[in-house]
Amino acid sequence: MKYISTRGQAPALSFGDVLLAGLASDGGLYVPEQLPTFSQEEIASWASLSYQELAFKVMWPFVEGEIPAEEFKRMIEEAYASFDHSAVAPMVQTDNNEWVLELFRGPTLAFKDFALQLLGRLMDYVLGQRGEKLVILGATSGDTGSAAIEGCRHSDHLDIFILHPYQRVSEVQRRQMTTVIDDNVFNIAVKGNFDDCQGMVKASFADQSFLKGAKLGAVNSINWARIMAQIVYYFSSALAVGGPHRKVSFSVPTGNFGDIFAGYLAKQMGLPIDQLVVATNQNDILHRTIATNDMSRQALNVTLSPSMDIMVSSNFERLLFDAHGRDSAAIADLMARFNAGDVTLNDDAWSFVKDNFDSYKVDDTRTCEVISEVFNATQYLLDPHTAIGLEAARKCWKDKSVPMITLATAHPVKFPEAVEKAGCESPSLPEHMKDLFERDEAYEVIDNDLSAVQGFVANHI
Ligand SMILES: *Cc1c(COP(=O)(O)O)cnc(C)c1O
């Protein structure tokens, strides 16, 4: 399978090349030239497969020809072996025909483990085949960094450097990163904010001369392989509630539009999906775009659901590509106009977006109310991101005979502030993390200075 850039000026690449490249050289995002599709009969025949077996069926067409089947099966087995539930992505019923899909059973307690546990292994394999090494450089405001570190720590061909804003991530989040002590893992606390960290990463990708010949790789959510791994749980959860013989709907707490885009792809690949609900917090550019064709940037709000505090959703470009009939010239033009301040889609593109997605926005007050209401009704504790998803599901649900599945993106222990504001008791850490606060930490505190950070990286590869 070939992958093409949404902006049409970068070369078409193979899976292995897309995996290592991340962003396309023309600034666009890679998407499959053509999606595989599965018949209803074929999907139905997967009903009794394990999560790992299903993952192979769904993802194989994307990697075929690049990675031997047995190797790919081994990577999938290893990637999900550390999850603490044998179903990998179990479901919990919260009301009649209403379900929560628990995607936080991995090592760092957020759904990003699904993609990053696999991504680290895929990269390591491809690099090993090519006899190459890669330096992973990323910035995190919390969940991505720890998931990326866990995914890459066992890699022979990767060094990973993660920047986080000094004293501006929660203690659980920091310790999930800094207590991973491995030769190839480096945590840097930058005396600045998240935007400073991200700015340094962008500048380093643009000019890699400080690396003296080594190459940088990205594990952020624009990497195609991350999207690919997230398609699987739409299939597994639909099968668990009677799909593909009946339609199902999904509600997804959304930030960079990666997770919900995977749901859209599952639908294109043949899974009968009724509604896809985009759930946002106060940072509502996606809700405004879908509901009123208003893509204007507004000041970033700090909320109780920080993993969705994003001003511009990078993966939305992949959807816009389809919404414009896969016309890459139109996308290059649109993104240039968007960056210059133009903020509306043409009527056809907006209709396409509205036909495929519903949306809803939830503020902090309502988020806490939902955590409290659901806990009182069911004794089930939601994290704030999932609470937003569940509220959006309830508000947008059109046909109550269609099962509604909300993606639970994080474990509530990661976000004690929201849980306590909701009047609930913060849960204790799961078994494999019980000693998190006693473990040794290692991280480097560095000034908010690009050359200081780059110097550190260059000295440690
Ligand atoms: C990353 C994240 C999200 C947003 O996912 P996107 O793919 O960026 O839309 C939602 N909830 C949690 C807990 C996250 O870590």
Side-chain angles (χ1 to χ4, degrees):
M1 179 177 298
K2 282 281 177 205
Y3 294 83
I4 55 173
S5 164
T6 50
R7 298 194 196 174
Q9 298 301 308
L13 297 181
S14 66
F15 177 78
D17 289 329
V18 165
L19 177 73
L20 302 181
L23 200 68
S25 58
D26 57 4
L29 302 180
Y30 278 107
V31 291
E33 195 167 38
Q34 205 172 11
L35 279 178
T37 54
F38 305 117
S39 68
Q40 303 259 340
E41 295 70 44
E42 188 170 13
I43 297 169
S45 76
W46 298 340
S48 59
L49 298 185
S50 69
Y51 187 87
Q52 291 84 338
E53 289 166 336
L54 180 69
F56 179 81
K57 296 278 187 200
V58 172
M59 292 189 284
W60 177 242
F62 295 108
V63 305
E64 191 175 2
E66 289 278 307
I67 297 173
E70 289 314 308
E71 283 292 340
F72 191 46
K73 283 183 184 165
R74 177 190 58 76
M75 285 183 236
I76 291 170
E77 284 299 330
E78 285 178 15
Y80 301 115
S82 62
F83 282 55
D84 77 356
H85 194 295
S86 55
V88 182
M91 306 256 275
V92 170
Q93 187 162 12
T94 44
D95 206 338
N96 293 321
N97 229 6
E98 183 191 86
W99 306 80
V100 160
L101 174 61
E102 292 190 337
L103 300 176
F104 52 75
R105 300 300 197 116
T108 72
L109 313 180
F111 84 95
K112 292 185 172 69
D113 288 327
F114 275 86
L116 286 161
Q117 282 294 313
L118 190 63
L119 186 70
R121 289 171 171 88
L122 285 165
M123 284 182 156
D124 204 39
Y125 175 81
V126 171
L127 289 165
Q129 289 295 305
R130 297 178 180 194
E132 292 174 14
K133 287 199 75 168
L134 202 62
V135 179
I136 299 296
L137 180 65
T140 190
S141 55
D143 296 330
T144 303
S146 55
I149 288 170
E150 282 292 339
C152 296
R153 62 187 295 186
H154 301 300
S155 304
D156 296 326
H157 309 280
L158 290 170
D159 288 323
I160 178 163
F161 295 80
I162 296 292
L163 315 185
H164 71 264
Y166 181 53
Q167 293 181 337
R168 294 194 199 197
V169 297
S170 79
E171 186 164 7
V172 170
Q173 288 179 322
R174 187 191 73 238
R175 285 184 162 273
Q176 282 188 310
M177 299 190 278
T178 58
T179 58
V180 177
I181 317 267
D182 274 303
D183 289 349
N184 66 333
V185 174
F186 302 91
N187 279 287
I188 301 174
V190 175
K191 288 187 176 166
N193 59 29
F194 173 65
D195 287 333
D196 297 326
C197 297
Q198 200 157 42
M200 288 186 186
V201 170
K202 277 198 181 139
S204 301
F205 271 86
D207 178 2
Q208 304 189 15
S209 54
F210 72 100
L211 286 171
K212 302 170 201 134
K215 266 196 307 191
L216 284 185
V219 292
N220 55 13
S221 73
I222 50 100
N223 193 305
W224 161 255
R226 282 186 61 175
I227 308 274
M228 173 186 81
Q230 293 169 186
I231 299 170
V232 177
Y233 45 70
Y234 287 90
F235 281 88
S236 71
S237 57
L239 283 162
V241 293
H245 302 301
R246 65 195 298 208
K247 285 189 170 186
V248 296
S249 291
F250 291 94
S251 176
V252 185
T254 308
N256 251 328
F257 206 76
D259 209 5
I260 188 142
F261 185 68
Y264 162 82
L265 293 178
K267 185 171 152 190
Q268 307 301 309
M269 289 163 68
L271 187 67
I273 293 179
D274 191 28
Q275 288 181 268
L276 286 166
V277 177
V278 170
T280 77
N281 64 20
Q282 284 290 102
N283 299 296
D284 63 348
I285 186 168
L286 288 168
H287 170 58
R288 283 187 281 111
T289 303
I290 295 164
T292 62
N293 197 2
D294 168 14
M295 277 214 307
S296 59
R297 293 165 207 245
Q298 296 183 353
L300 192 72
N301 295 293
V302 175
T303 73
L304 291 172
S305 44
S307 302
M308 290 153 62
D309 289 349
I310 285 169
M311 196 158 31
V312 178
S313 302
S314 36
N315 278 299
F316 198 56
E317 182 170 338
R318 288 185 157 116
L319 182 76
L320 291 176
F321 186 53
D322 282 5
H324 290 80
R326 301 206 129 200
D327 177 348
S328 55
I331 293 300
D333 177 56
L334 177 72
M335 296 319 290
R337 282 191 284 119
F338 178 59
N339 288 328
D342 184 2
V343 294
T344 47
L345 301 173
N346 69 41
D347 284 346
D348 286 349
W350 185 38
S351 296
F352 180 94
V353 172
K354 276 194 298 184
D355 287 348
N356 279 285
F357 297 91
D358 296 285
S359 69
Y360 195 74
K361 148 184 159 179
V362 182
D363 67 15
D364 277 353
T365 307
R366 186 66 198 138
T367 302
C368 293
E369 284 170 8
V370 172
I371 293 174
S372 162
E373 287 168 14
V374 171
F375 187 76
N376 290 336
T378 65
Q379 301 296 297
Y380 189 72
L381 186 62
L382 301 169
D383 103 291
H385 305 82
T386 309
I388 288 170
L390 191 59
E391 174 74 351
R394 290 175 173 178
K395 290 288 196 254
C396 295
W397 199 352
K398 289 184 185 136
D399 179 354
K400 295 271 166 128
S401 73
V402 175
M404 175 60 86
I405 300 170
T406 295
L407 273 52
T409 49
H411 191 293
V413 76
K414 291 191 96 166
F415 301 98
E417 191 187 348
V419 169
E420 280 154 23
K421 281 207 168 124
C424 299
E425 210 175 303
S426 187
S428 47
L429 287 166
E431 204 49 49
H432 73 279
M433 283 173 57
K434 276 267 181 303
D435 62 342
L436 186 70
F437 288 90
E438 283 93 63
R439 293 183 199 162
D440 289 338
E441 287 188 87
Y443 61 102
E444 197 74 18
V445 181
I446 300 185
D447 284 340
N448 185 8
D449 171 44
L450 180 63
S451 59
V453 169
Q454 292 185 336
F456 179 86
V457 174
N459 284 334
H460 289 86
I461 52 179

